[in-house]
Amino acid sequence: MTQVEICDQHVWAALGIVSRDGSVSRVWECEDCPVWTTEPFDPEYERDWDDTWLAGR
């Protein structure tokens, strides 16, 4: 097995969204190495779909 190089400072890019155990998180991936992480969304800022302008489209 080859050893993978890990960055000293990561260059983060948003990769997508995941729902785990009832909570929604944004997935971040480093552009220069295989490291990734998730950032939970703050439920305080969640808006009901019907309260957005997108609902009327």
Side-chain angles (χ1 to χ4, degrees):
M1 179 182 242
T2 61
Q3 183 150 357
V4 177
E5 273 193 54
I6 304 296
C7 300
D8 289 332
Q9 294 187 1
H10 301 291
V11 179
W12 296 109
L15 185 64
I17 306 290
V18 65
S19 176
R20 285 195 254 171
D21 300 324
S23 66
V24 180
S25 298
R26 183 181 318 275
V27 179
W28 293 92
E29 180 181 46
C30 179
E31 294 181 348
D32 297 327
C33 76
V35 170
W36 63 276
T37 190
T38 59
E39 173 190 22
F41 280 97
D42 188 339
E44 181 179 331
Y45 295 105
E46 182 178 2
R47 295 295 172 249
D48 187 66
W49 176 257
D50 291 334
D51 293 339
T52 70
W53 66 270
L54 293 167
R57 294 187 79 182

